[in-house]
Amino acid sequence: MIKSQWLFALFFCFLFATSCTPTLSPFTERLYDENRWTDDELKRIQFYLSEDLVLRRQAKEGSSEITRGEIKMIDGKRVEEFIIRRNTPGVFLFSPKRDRFAVTFESKDNEYLMFGPNPKASGRFVVLAADWDRRQGTVTYAGRKWRIDYRDALASLMVDLKKTRKVSVKSRTAQGRKID
């Protein structure tokens, strides 16, 4: 009897804990188009990163300055590595053009990544990189050029749809009008 009460209590705690965590869904071009959010509304939506994103750049020889993350040796070269973990919350900063979002995952507004819809990823807003070759792309972050691996190319924006829908709801009720 006590064992079953303990299991019931454990199940209830698990259910309560999971109900408090957000259920994240991909932020897609379709979702964006259907809701027609303005920049001000997008600034009130909490974004999350779908998976770990690793930024790397070659560290300058003789330089002891480490501005992000840590220094590693890859293929005999000193490489600075900066990781943005899965489910890290991010904030919309601006949109330089339609379907392009600057999102920051840190406190400084100049430290952002660009995201945009990818038709090959069902219209999800994925990290955008320039100069893609088969294995790597180049992104600008905090004014510096970083490389991302092709496996990170599908790191995308996620949102809690319950909260997102609350942001976009505008409601009013007609009061009616009587003849004077």
Side-chain angles (χ1 to χ4, degrees):
M1 184 79 165
I2 293 175
K3 225 181 209 185
S4 63
Q5 288 175 343
W6 185 80
L7 286 174
F8 180 74
L10 184 63
F11 175 74
F12 180 74
C13 288
F14 173 76
L15 187 63
F16 179 74
T18 58
S19 68
C20 294
T21 59
T23 303
L24 301 180
S25 301
F27 188 83
T28 63
E29 185 174 29
R30 180 177 177 199
L31 182 65
Y32 178 55
D33 289 343
E34 285 175 357
N35 290 283
R36 298 182 184 144
W37 286 300
T38 64
D39 283 3
D40 287 335
E41 290 170 322
L42 289 167
K43 287 178 182 179
R44 295 193 321 254
I45 295 174
Q46 183 67 69
F47 291 96
Y48 299 90
L49 194 60
S50 67
E51 55 196 80
D52 290 356
L53 181 61
V54 180
L55 309 178
R56 289 187 181 103
R57 66 188 191 96
Q58 189 166 348
K60 293 182 180 177
E61 294 299 322
S63 172
S64 61
E65 177 188 359
I66 301 173
T67 56
R68 300 266 173 254
E70 59 186 60
I71 299 290
K72 291 187 170 194
M73 295 296 287
I74 298 177
D75 295 330
K77 296 179 183 176
R78 287 175 27 141
V79 175
E80 185 178 355
E81 187 175 86
F82 176 61
I83 301 169
I84 304 172
R85 294 275 178 217
R86 176 179 190 237
N87 291 333
T88 299
V91 176
F92 171 89
L93 292 175
F94 64 90
S95 182
K97 62 181 183 175
R98 183 170 168 22
D99 291 345
R100 298 291 182 262
F101 290 1
V103 176
T104 183
F105 297 95
E106 298 196 88
S107 59
K108 295 180 181 176
D109 286 351
N110 71 332
E111 297 173 346
Y112 61 86
L113 291 169
M114 296 302 296
F115 290 84
N118 183 336
K120 294 179 183 177
S122 303
R124 288 182 300 166
F125 273 63
V126 300
V127 66
L128 297 176
D131 304 324
W132 274 104
D133 60 28
R134 288 200 155 122
R135 312 237 352 119
Q136 294 183 335
T138 303
V139 296
T140 301
Y141 186 80
R144 294 184 172 163
K145 300 286 184 191
W146 297 80
R147 304 289 287 166
I148 62 170
D149 193 68
Y150 72 95
R151 291 178 295 247
D152 294 333
L154 296 180
S156 61
L157 295 177
M158 306 287 284
V159 291
D160 182 349
L161 282 182
K162 287 181 188 176
K163 289 186 178 182
T164 301
R165 297 225 188 265
K166 286 180 185 176
V167 168
S168 65
V169 173
K170 292 182 182 179
S171 177
R172 71 182 192 100
T173 304
Q175 299 298 314
R177 182 175 174 178
K178 295 183 179 182
I179 298 174
D180 292 331

